[in-house]
Structure formats: C-alpha cells, structure tokens
Amino acid sequence: MRRRPGIGGLQNAAAARDQFRALGDNVAKLRTDLMKEQLSTFRSQLEDFARKHKNDIRKNPAFRSQFHEMCAKVGVDPLASNKGFWAELLGIGDFYYELGVQIVDICLATRPLNGGLINLEELCKLLRQRRKTAREAVSEDDCLRAISKLKVLGSGFEVISVGKRKLVRSVPTELNKDHNEILELAQVQGFVTVEEVERRLTWSPGRAIDALDSLLDEGLAMIDDGHQDGKRRYWFPCVSSISSYVGTDTL
C-alpha cells in the first residue's frame, strides 16, 4: 500500500517547484536581456550603415530595397514617421509620401480607362515617366512600399495578384474567382471573347457572358466590335498598356 507524503514532503516539493520556476524565470530574463542587447547593437550598426551609405540608399533602388530588408529584420521601419532620426538622415519618408501622392494622381487619371485597376508594371512605368526629371530612380519595390502606406491611411488602395501579375486597385471593386480567371486569361492578348472564355475555361455561355458583363459594368473592360469575324472583343486595360490609350503628359 502506497504511503501518502507527509506535510514536510509536500513543503519540500512545493519549494523545489518554486526554485525551478525562479530558475526558469531567471533564464528567460537573461535570454530576453541578451536579445535586447543584441537588437540594440544591430540597430546601432544599422544607423552607422545608413550614415555611411545614405547616398546609395537615396539614389539606388536595389540598394534601397536591401536596406529595407535589413531594417525589417531588426524591427525598424524608416517609413513609420516623417520625423526623427531616419527622416533627418535619409529623407526617405518624404520620398515615399511623394510617391504615394503621385501614384494616387496616376490612378485617378487612368480610372476612366481601367475602372480603377492598373497593372503594377504599367503604374511604375507611368510613374517613372512622370518623375523623369527627379534625381531618385523608382523601382517596383518602391511603388509597393508607397502603396502600403496609402493602405494604412485607409485610402482603399490595395495590390492584388492575378495569375503572375500584380494589379493595383484604387476602388472598392470586389473581384470573384470568375473575374480573376478571365483577367488571367486576358493577360495573353489583352482581350478575350465569349467563345474563348467558354472554350478555355470550359464554362457555359451564360456564365461567361454574366462574368464579362459584370466586369464591363465595373468599368474594367472595353468593348471592341470592329472585327470582320463578328466576334466581340473584351479589352482589359488593367493587363495591357495604358500608354497606348492616353498620353503620359496628361498624367
């Protein structure tokens, strides 16, 4: 028959648990303090790096992207505020806010043509043309970072993926699975026909027409009926070049 531990045994066991708990807390605190010390060291080194290479960070898009990755690894966001150390040292906060304003202007100018959905590559191209006299080059990574700041402000801007392409949405249009499949199909030629949608996606005529009419109503598609074969083309400026539709001097 097993004997129950006495009061002394229970007290010893409780004391041992308290000791282990205290030891565990001490180890956790030491690890936390060590991590904080390492993080502080990393941030200090990052600031030294930024001071040394500030011209490259400002002028070289690839270098700037790598710098942002370094910042993210130590929990630093140089774009979090346009005041303070990073803004004074690099001025990159102002750079991205300026890009954001220009991106909004381009999206508004092209909205009558694309319904508020523009190819990221095309947006960057129009942005570079607009900024051709600026000293700083602009990359897609810069555009994405500027758009992320617009999204934080609740402006409705968002980057979505359709197939292999990224599209920037500046209106609260909700695209369902059928819409995405049609847009992905249209990336090959810039347009689709009802018959092509039926054949390539194995849809019924009704489903194809409903989805295309919905995209047309949203302003994302343009109709072209001027072909000898009599087949209506649904063009999608958001997956083709807007430059061919509008002069860049109007943006």
Side-chain angles (χ1 to χ4, degrees), residues 52-70:
K52 183 177 180 180
H53 299 284
K54 63 180 181 180
N55 289 332
D56 291 323
I57 294 171
R58 287 174 177 172
K59 298 179 180 179
N60 187 320
F63 198 93
R64 186 162 55 243
S65 176
Q66 294 173 354
F67 172 72
H68 279 295
E69 291 180 7
M70 291 170 57

Side-chain angles (χ1 to χ4, degrees), residues 153-171:
L153 295 174
S155 56
F157 280 75
E158 185 179 11
V159 179
I160 61 175
S161 295
V162 176
K164 296 181 179 180
R165 296 194 182 188
K166 288 184 173 63
L167 305 179
V168 179
R169 182 169 61 190
S170 59
V171 293

Side-chain angles (χ1 to χ4, degrees), residues 172-200:
T173 301
E174 291 297 330
L175 299 177
N176 59 34
K177 185 173 181 293
D178 284 0
H179 297 154
N180 282 340
E181 289 191 32
I182 288 177
L183 289 173
E184 187 172 355
L185 184 62
Q187 290 179 10
V188 178
Q189 305 176 92
F191 70 89
V192 296
T193 64
V194 173
E195 294 78 7
E196 182 182 11
V197 171
E198 293 174 21
R199 183 180 72 257
R200 297 286 298 277

Side-chain angles (χ1 to χ4, degrees), residues 35-216:
M35 289 178 63
K36 287 181 178 179
E37 183 180 348
Q38 290 177 337
L39 186 59
S40 177
T41 301
F42 287 150
R43 287 181 174 175
S44 178
Q45 291 175 345
L46 185 63
E47 291 177 3
D48 291 339
F49 178 86
R51 288 189 184 95
K52 183 177 180 180
H53 299 284
K54 63 180 181 180
N55 289 332
D56 291 323
I57 294 171
R58 287 174 177 172
K59 298 179 180 179
N60 187 320
F63 198 93
R64 186 162 55 243
S65 176
Q66 294 173 354
F67 172 72
H68 279 295
E69 291 180 7
M70 291 170 57
C71 289
K73 290 179 180 178
V74 294
V76 173
D77 184 2
L79 306 182
S81 172
N82 61 352
K83 298 179 180 180
F85 170 80
W86 295 106
E88 293 176 4
L89 176 64
L90 302 174
I92 55 177
D94 292 336
F95 169 74
Y96 283 103
Y97 294 131
E98 180 184 335
L99 284 189
V101 171
Q102 294 171 341
I103 286 172
V104 170
D105 287 344
I106 292 172
C107 288
L108 290 175
T110 58
R111 188 176 292 175
L113 293 172
N114 58 32
L117 197 63
I118 182 172
N119 186 350
L120 176 62
E121 292 181 4
E122 182 70 10
L123 174 61
C124 292
K125 176 182 176 182
L126 295 173
L127 186 61
R128 292 187 193 105
Q129 291 174 349
R130 177 170 180 165
R131 293 175 54 86
K132 57 187 176 183
T133 58
R135 291 179 300 173
E136 305 93 348
V138 176
S139 67
E140 284 192 12
D141 182 76
D142 290 328
C143 289
L144 289 172
R145 293 185 187 279
I147 292 168
S148 71
K149 294 305 169 185
L150 294 173
K151 186 177 179 181
V152 169
L153 295 174
S155 56
F157 280 75
E158 185 179 11
V159 179
I160 61 175
S161 295
V162 176
K164 296 181 179 180
R165 296 194 182 188
K166 288 184 173 63
L167 305 179
V168 179
R169 182 169 61 190
S170 59
V171 293
T173 301
E174 291 297 330
L175 299 177
N176 59 34
K177 185 173 181 293
D178 284 0
H179 297 154
N180 282 340
E181 289 191 32
I182 288 177
L183 289 173
E184 187 172 355
L185 184 62
Q187 290 179 10
V188 178
Q189 305 176 92
F191 70 89
V192 296
T193 64
V194 173
E195 294 78 7
E196 182 182 11
V197 171
E198 293 174 21
R199 183 180 72 257
R200 297 286 298 277
L201 302 179
T202 63
W203 288 2
S204 67
R207 181 179 179 182
I209 292 173
D210 285 345
L212 288 167
D213 284 348
S214 175
L215 290 167
L216 191 63

